Amino acid sequence: MMDTHVFAIYVVLFGVLLSFPVRNLIWRFSVHRLQIRLERELSSEEQFGQRRRAWILALFISLVFSFFFSVSIVGMPNYG
């Protein structure tokens, strides 16, 4: 079992590192979907908005996955 602070640092660090490839994947899918829907290329401002949206989604998804992955690998931390 791990200490609570070490577990939290591990979850946040793993979540942030995992969010970079997830962000790129979400961004590419969302830009492609929007280009098909609008039937035109997106402007740089629209791509920036999609990148910001992808960053928020990826961070949330990665932190949740990181927490559950860490719990399954090392177990819940000690609270005492």
Side-chain angles (χ1 to χ4, degrees):
M1 295 292 224
M2 298 178 89
D3 186 34
T4 306
H5 299 302
V6 175
F7 182 79
I9 291 171
Y10 178 74
V11 167
V12 169
L13 182 64
F14 183 57
V16 168
L17 290 175
L18 184 63
S19 68
F20 288 107
V22 172
R23 177 194 62 178
N24 286 334
L25 187 65
I26 291 172
W27 178 71
R28 288 180 190 205
F29 284 150
S30 66
V31 166
H32 182 69
R33 180 182 52 90
L34 196 56
Q35 284 176 345
I36 289 173
R37 182 182 293 165
L38 297 176
E39 298 177 351
R40 64 176 173 84
E41 292 292 320
L42 297 180
S43 67
S44 61
E45 183 178 307
E46 290 170 326
Q47 286 184 3
F48 179 75
Q50 291 298 313
R51 187 175 297 270
R52 186 177 60 226
R53 179 177 164 265
W55 179 250
I56 294 169
L57 275 171
L59 193 59
F60 177 73
I61 291 169
S62 298
L63 285 174
V64 170
F65 175 79
S66 175
F67 174 77
F68 287 120
F69 181 77
S70 300
V71 166
S72 70
I73 297 296
V74 296
M76 287 297 287
N78 292 333
Y79 290 107

